[in-house]
Amino acid sequence: MKIFLDTGNLKEIEAMVPLGIVDGVTTNPSLMAKESGDPRAIIKSICDLVQGPVSAEVVATDWEGMVSEGRELASIDPHVVVKVPFTRDGVRATKVLAGEGTRVNVTLIFSAPQALIAAKVGAAYVSPFVGRLDDISVDGMGLVQQIVEIFEAFSFATEVLVASVRGPMHIVEAARMGADVCTCPVSVVEACFKHPLTDIGLAKFLKDWEKAQASRT
Ligand code: E4P
């Protein structure tokens, strides 16, 4: 399963890329609004750093505006994936952009029929928002399971990109379900590195090693 970072912050991405675990990045208007500087330049810098799919979202709400903005975003770098919200206009824009060879990530997916429709019009990715569903007592990962089953049944090439991830267990469940991608805030990736038994085990290894060295001198 691929791991994307869910951030528009260059420092966060710079710190994570050398670990070799970042396959791509997703942004959205809320994340980009937190960053200072020209959004176009930030997206370009992210593409240069990651050399993998980088989702940049349109803010137009009519299909013609989405297509025009999508073309502009796609011209920034070949790694850009145009992110479009799941609306009637978003579906129409996805059909046009995908027909031109632009990869589209259909976002704000909260039901299986939405994912099916997005796949039918050629979305490269669908983004089910698991955390936001969990927040309202709906099983977010249950939705991912449904989408994975539907896409497998009809051999859709559309990738299931698990979004709105809140913790490492979302990553585990996404991987077990066979989702293609999990996009994670940096805090969630950091949490995967923490395990008390790893810390205790390493401390013991080093202490035993030091003791053995001291007894030899
Ligand atoms: C990613 O594509 C989404 O925009 C993001 O995961 C949303 O996450 P949130 O629900 O934590 O805002």
Side-chain angles (χ1 to χ4, degrees):
M1 185 180 70
K2 284 167 272 192
I3 294 179
F4 288 4
L5 289 183
D6 198 23
T7 180
N9 186 277
L10 281 171
K11 283 203 170 72
E12 285 186 348
I13 299 165
E14 271 164 6
M16 226 21 113
V17 164
L19 298 181
I21 56 171
V22 179
D23 299 300
V25 166
T26 52
T27 67
N28 64 36
S30 303
L31 292 171
M32 293 305 289
K34 289 185 199 164
E35 306 304 320
S36 53
D38 171 27
R40 203 177 193 279
I42 294 172
I43 293 293
K44 177 64 183 157
S45 301
I46 295 174
C47 290
D48 291 345
L49 275 171
V50 174
Q51 295 292 309
V54 174
S55 288
E57 188 161 342
V58 300
V59 289
T61 53
D62 63 298
W63 74 270
E64 285 152 311
M66 287 180 183
V67 168
S68 152
E69 210 183 319
R71 286 176 182 148
E72 164 62 21
L73 289 168
S75 75
I76 295 174
D77 189 279
H79 291 107
V80 167
V81 174
V82 176
K83 208 170 172 193
V84 167
F86 183 89
T87 58
R88 289 173 73 94
D89 283 78
V91 167
R92 190 164 174 185
T94 299
K95 175 82 182 158
V96 174
L97 290 166
E100 295 172 356
T102 297
R103 288 177 297 168
V104 179
N105 173 359
V106 178
T107 189
L108 292 169
I109 294 287
F110 292 99
S111 77
Q114 291 179 328
L116 176 62
I117 289 167
K120 280 178 74 73
V121 293
Y125 302 91
V126 290
S127 291
F129 276 33
V130 297
R132 293 193 197 184
L133 281 171
D134 291 351
D135 290 346
I136 57 160
S137 306
V138 176
D139 179 12
M141 291 312 301
L143 170 61
V144 171
Q145 183 72 69
Q146 288 177 8
I147 299 171
V148 168
E149 282 172 15
I150 292 166
F151 285 10
E152 272 175 13
F154 295 99
S155 302
F156 280 119
T158 308
E159 296 192 30
V160 181
L161 191 164
V162 178
S164 188
V165 163
R166 302 280 197 252
M169 284 313 293
H170 276 150
I171 302 179
V172 174
E173 290 177 65
R176 292 185 72 184
M177 287 174 186
D180 301 280
V181 189
C182 199
T183 189
C184 310
V186 165
S187 58
V188 173
V189 179
E190 292 290 1
C192 296
F193 280 89
K194 289 182 193 140
H195 199 294
L197 292 180
T198 304
D199 297 342
I200 291 166
L202 179 59
K204 183 165 175 4
F205 285 157
L206 296 178
K207 201 172 163 196
D208 290 347
W209 180 254
E210 270 170 35
K211 254 195 245 166
Q213 297 308 304
S215 69
R216 284 183 194 135
T217 55

